[in-house]
Amino acid sequence: MEDAALIEKLLLFGLGRQEAAIYLCLLKQEELTGYEAAKLTGISRSNVYNGLASLVEHGAAYILEGTSTRYTAVGLSEFCENRLRYLQRTKEELEKNGPQKQLPKEGYITIEGNGHIRDKIHHMILSAEFRIYFSASGVFLEEWKDEIGVLVQQGKKVVLISEDGRIPFAEEQEMLEGIQLYLVPEGLYESGEEDRSAQIRLIIDSEYVLTGEIGGKAQDACLYSAQKNFVRVFKDAMRNEIELIRLREI
């Protein structure tokens, strides 16, 4: 991975852009003075010294004892793990003391962007208290193995519809035994019907619905709603699809 890409990743761990560049430089060297770091990074000495002090404060660098002040980097894995633990503790404090935001029960919310949709799916699955109904291509369903596995271990009801007829988690027999899986047979829908390979439908606890298309693009969009009538109609439609699949299996 190029340095520019590594710096972008380090920004996610609370470092500024110059701090990330200095930290990356330290990682490549055993130890450096501020003057040496400035020469190697091309950052002004005053900014380098401020950046080094900030890295020490963030737990990304140590000061070495000696006649001149020298710095060495904390290992990348150790730094990241420490930041994740700090963020987890901060998350718990915020959840305990911060205002609680609930999405509206009425109305509809558009979620745009592949990453944002995936974040929502992850949160919805793991927040399920009783059951989930999840319809998508078998390939897409397999991407949620970890989250679905958690629900199976917890004994919650998991109903999956593989729209392309592919069996997800085919090598995870124990996991499959805890899932109600329905494979859409070829020819179930009319040949002229819109391609369903990118479509997803997710129902959580018969209260929340996420539906739309996700094809790995920034313009992907899904609709989220907890509107009771919409959820009921949506659940009935999925139940009817399951019944059609069962009839074809007879």
Side-chain angles (χ1 to χ4, degrees):
M1 187 179 292
E2 296 182 355
D3 285 359
L6 290 171
I7 288 173
E8 291 298 323
K9 300 294 184 184
L10 287 169
L11 298 182
L12 301 176
F13 283 82
L15 299 183
R17 192 169 296 277
Q18 287 191 343
E19 292 169 351
I22 297 167
Y23 176 59
L24 192 58
C25 181
L26 283 177
L27 285 171
K28 296 177 181 178
Q29 309 294 327
E30 185 172 345
E31 57 185 69
L32 291 172
T33 64
Y35 172 75
E36 292 167 336
K39 286 186 63 177
L40 289 170
T41 61
I43 300 172
S44 69
R45 289 179 65 180
S46 60
N47 285 341
V48 163
Y49 282 114
N50 288 334
L52 287 168
S54 182
L55 289 176
V56 172
E57 183 180 353
H58 280 88
Y62 294 129
I63 299 175
L64 297 173
E65 298 295 333
T67 55
S68 61
T69 303
R70 304 182 70 83
Y71 299 84
T72 188
V74 174
L76 185 57
S77 177
E78 181 180 351
F79 167 68
C80 291
E81 288 293 336
N82 289 341
R83 292 299 295 172
L84 288 173
R85 282 198 302 274
Y86 167 76
L87 288 173
Q88 179 61 35
R89 291 195 301 270
T90 303
K91 168 183 174 289
E92 292 169 358
E93 291 174 2
L94 287 171
E95 288 179 339
K96 180 179 179 181
N97 301 307
Q100 301 301 310
K101 168 67 176 177
Q102 297 293 336
L103 291 178
K105 288 285 187 178
E106 300 298 326
Y108 307 90
I109 297 172
T110 299
I111 301 175
E112 297 181 339
N114 184 274
H116 297 311
I117 294 171
R118 289 177 178 272
D119 286 343
K120 192 61 178 175
I121 293 173
H122 171 83
H123 178 76
M124 289 178 70
I125 292 176
L126 292 184
S127 65
E129 296 184 10
F130 307 106
R131 67 189 73 84
I132 74 166
Y133 290 78
F134 197 177
S135 171
S137 69
V139 174
F140 190 79
L141 291 172
E142 285 183 336
E143 296 183 29
W144 304 95
K145 174 183 173 182
D146 292 342
E147 289 87 346
I148 291 173
V150 169
L151 299 191
V152 172
Q153 290 178 354
Q154 294 173 342
K156 296 174 182 177
K157 182 178 180 180
V158 176
V159 180
L160 305 181
I161 301 176
S162 174
E163 293 288 348
D164 57 4
R166 174 176 176 148
I167 301 176
F169 329 122
E171 298 180 357
E172 304 288 338
Q173 189 58 42
E174 184 177 349
M175 183 173 171
L176 280 175
E177 290 175 358
I179 295 171
Q180 295 181 30
L181 176 63
Y182 298 94
L183 308 178
V184 175
E186 187 176 353
L188 181 65
Y189 305 109
E190 296 179 8
S191 58
E193 194 169 308
E194 183 182 358
D195 178 29
R196 302 165 66 94
S197 61
Q199 294 183 8
I200 64 165
R201 294 174 294 162
L202 177 61
I203 305 176
I204 302 295
D205 294 334
S206 300
E207 291 189 15
Y208 308 98
V209 162
L210 182 73
T211 181
E213 292 192 2
I214 179 166
K217 301 178 182 179
Q219 59 266 36
D220 289 343
C222 283
L223 186 70
Y224 172 87
S225 181
Q227 208 279 336
K228 291 183 178 180
N229 291 333
F230 180 75
V231 173
R232 183 172 62 252
V233 170
F234 203 84
K235 185 176 179 181
D236 288 343
M238 192 173 288
R239 185 184 294 113
N240 290 337
E241 181 178 12
I242 291 173
E243 188 59 32
L244 283 174
I245 295 171
R246 285 173 173 167
L247 290 173
R248 287 291 297 269
E249 291 174 346
I250 297 176

